[in-house]
Amino acid sequence: MRFRHPDGSVVHLAYCTNVHPAETLDGVLAQLRDHCEPVRRRLGRDRLGIGLWLAGDAAHALVTDPSAPRGLRTELDRRGLEVVTLNGFPYEGFGAEEVKYRVYQPDWADPQRLAHTTALARVLAQLLPDDVTEGTISTLPLAWRTAYDDERAATAHAALTTLAERLDALDELTGHSIRIGLEPEPGCVVETTHDAIAPLTAIGHQRIGICVDTCHLATSFEDPDTALDALAQAGVPVVKSQLSAALHAEHPHLPEVRTALAAFDEPRFLHQTRTRTAAGLRGTDDLGEALGGDTLPDASPWRAHFHVPLHAAPAAPLTSTLPVLRAALTRLVGGPHPLTRHLEVETYTWQALPPELRPRGRAQLADGIAAELTLARDLLTDLGLKELP
């Protein structure tokens, strides 16, 4: 979906396909048919943007067979779909029964991460619509914190510097500017937008910036205005933003709230949980740890890294951090000029919701994704952007 900003520029809205498990190129082609096109039809649009997730095997197939990107581009066009952004965070196994810590491998100290991201950039340059010259890719925020030391930090810095050089060369060769955004996430080396400033200014290249995920922003109790002001002051570009909402518990000390939260403690994904204390931010790596005993103080609200559907906040006594998303979006695209032109709804946890909230079959999932995109569209038009055909 495309929108005209009051300054005349085009803002793109997509939804991320990591909600549909697919590890191979054939799987990607199938999800375009089975999921993405049905969402487009529900929205009554001739064209729908998707934030494509390409696992390692799929990306490898696309860069080793010259005809494969052309075939994928043809299929996108045939189904009324377009791609200006990729999700390059998960490498493989995102549809596995248990993902947890595996999603952080390989990290930026592993040569495989550089190779994969380079492949994604080459693929994206071939998938961009004819009238679009800029693409974006979100990526792992360096590494999970426990696997990082000075030596690995130096290796990661060198890898990102090499990537920037490769992106320069790709631009010169194709005329397409591909930019990469580190996506801060709780528990990682870059947990907050503030954590991103030092490594990104050290690299000092405008092709390497930040992806602001509004669920992660909220989980870490970051204020959107403060965060975005600091990034602007440091000269760190917001490459893209993922529109998502976290799980919020206002009174985590109450038994009924603990019971409600326990329904979201599932075995597939990691649900980092945070609270604010007088001594600063406290947290656990997973929701189950927070619920188990006195690990996490419960005198103040808890937020958990669980991407809940944007249009359907959990039932009381829980809610979502949709107000944080609204505040962030207002700053990102509500000003005289957009801070980013690529927005992506990223609720990948539909099938991890409590059983009674999960969609039953493809049709209900498509309905839910369409409802999320409708909400995001309404937020954008409320900010003065005009939806384009």
Side-chain angles (χ1 to χ4, degrees):
M1 300 169 75
R2 298 187 183 193
F3 297 81
R4 181 76 65 189
H5 189 275
D7 76 347
S9 62
V10 174
V11 173
H12 294 263
L13 172 66
Y15 91 88
C16 186
T17 64
N18 62 356
V19 64
H20 312 305
E23 298 286 322
T24 66
L25 181 54
D26 284 345
V28 170
L29 295 172
Q31 71 183 200
L32 302 183
R33 176 195 68 222
D34 296 339
H35 298 288
C36 303
E37 185 176 10
V39 171
R40 178 184 65 76
R41 293 187 181 280
R42 279 164 172 76
L43 291 166
R45 306 294 302 162
D46 293 331
R47 173 174 56 189
L48 176 67
I50 58 172
L52 202 58
W53 174 58
L54 297 172
D57 285 348
H60 180 73
L62 285 163
V63 293
T64 53
D65 179 357
S67 67
R70 291 195 294 271
L72 177 55
R73 172 68 185 277
T74 297
E75 191 70 2
L76 288 165
D77 291 343
R78 188 165 76 90
R79 300 196 180 280
L81 306 169
E82 67 177 13
V83 174
V84 302
T85 190
L86 300 180
N87 186 329
F89 194 134
Y91 177 73
E92 63 184 0
F94 202 62
E97 290 186 6
E98 182 176 329
V99 179
K100 298 290 185 181
Y101 294 95
R102 291 171 51 193
V103 75
Y104 306 107
Q105 296 296 329
D107 63 29
W108 273 102
D110 186 328
Q112 196 173 31
R113 175 61 66 172
L114 173 60
H116 176 59
T117 310
T118 301
L120 293 178
R122 290 172 56 191
V123 170
L124 181 55
Q126 298 177 76
L127 296 182
L128 290 176
D130 292 339
D131 59 346
V132 175
T133 59
E134 181 181 295
T136 58
I137 302 171
S138 48
T139 189
L140 180 77
L142 298 181
W144 185 254
R145 68 184 188 282
T146 57
Y148 213 60
D149 55 25
D150 289 345
E151 182 179 355
R152 293 181 68 80
T155 303
H157 181 278
L160 286 167
T161 301
T162 298
L163 177 65
E165 294 167 353
R166 292 179 179 179
L167 296 176
D168 283 342
L170 184 65
D171 190 353
E172 186 174 345
L173 178 66
T174 66
H176 292 154
S177 174
I178 307 298
R179 299 195 297 159
I180 309 296
L182 301 186
E183 181 185 333
E185 176 164 317
C188 291
V189 173
V190 175
E191 170 157 342
T192 67
T193 57
H194 176 77
D195 295 335
I197 291 174
L200 289 176
T201 52
I203 293 167
H205 200 295
Q206 287 296 297
R207 292 199 195 278
I208 312 292
I210 193 170
C211 168
V212 175
D213 183 301
T214 58
C215 170
H216 303 172
L217 190 81
T219 301
S220 295
F221 287 87
E222 289 197 81
D223 173 70
D225 289 327
T226 302
L228 293 170
D229 284 346
L231 292 173
Q233 186 173 0
V236 174
V238 180
V239 169
K240 65 183 278 190
S241 179
Q242 289 173 326
L243 306 183
S244 53
L247 191 63
H248 180 94
E250 186 69 17
H251 302 292
H253 65 284
L254 297 177
E256 60 268 30
V257 175
R258 295 291 186 109
T259 299
L261 283 170
F264 288 84
D265 178 26
E266 55 83 39
R268 185 171 174 186
F269 298 112
L270 209 58
H271 301 297
Q272 302 92 315
T273 305
R274 299 289 185 266
T275 189
R276 284 187 293 192
T277 72
L281 202 64
R282 291 278 302 278
T284 60
D285 283 355
D286 214 346
L287 180 56
E289 296 175 49
L291 292 170
D294 300 324
T295 306
L296 195 63
D298 60 8
S300 297
W302 286 4
R303 288 177 179 173
H305 173 217
F306 195 119
H307 290 219
V308 295
L310 302 186
H311 68 292
L318 304 178
T319 186
S320 81
T321 60
L322 185 62
V324 177
L325 185 159
R326 292 176 184 270
L329 194 61
T330 298
R331 280 298 308 275
L332 287 167
V333 299
H337 304 287
L339 302 183
T340 182
R341 292 189 295 275
H342 290 179
L343 305 172
E344 177 183 66
V345 171
E346 196 214 11
T347 304
Y348 59 83
T349 44
W350 281 95
Q351 299 303 338
L353 290 166
E356 68 275 12
L357 301 179
R358 293 175 195 168
R360 294 185 296 275
R362 292 175 185 170
Q364 282 195 2
L365 177 59
D367 289 342
I369 294 170
E372 288 194 292
L373 286 166
T374 297
L375 182 147
R377 178 191 64 194
D378 291 345
L379 292 177
L380 291 172
T381 55
D382 287 348
L383 290 171
L385 283 73
K386 180 181 179 182
E387 188 175 5
L388 297 175

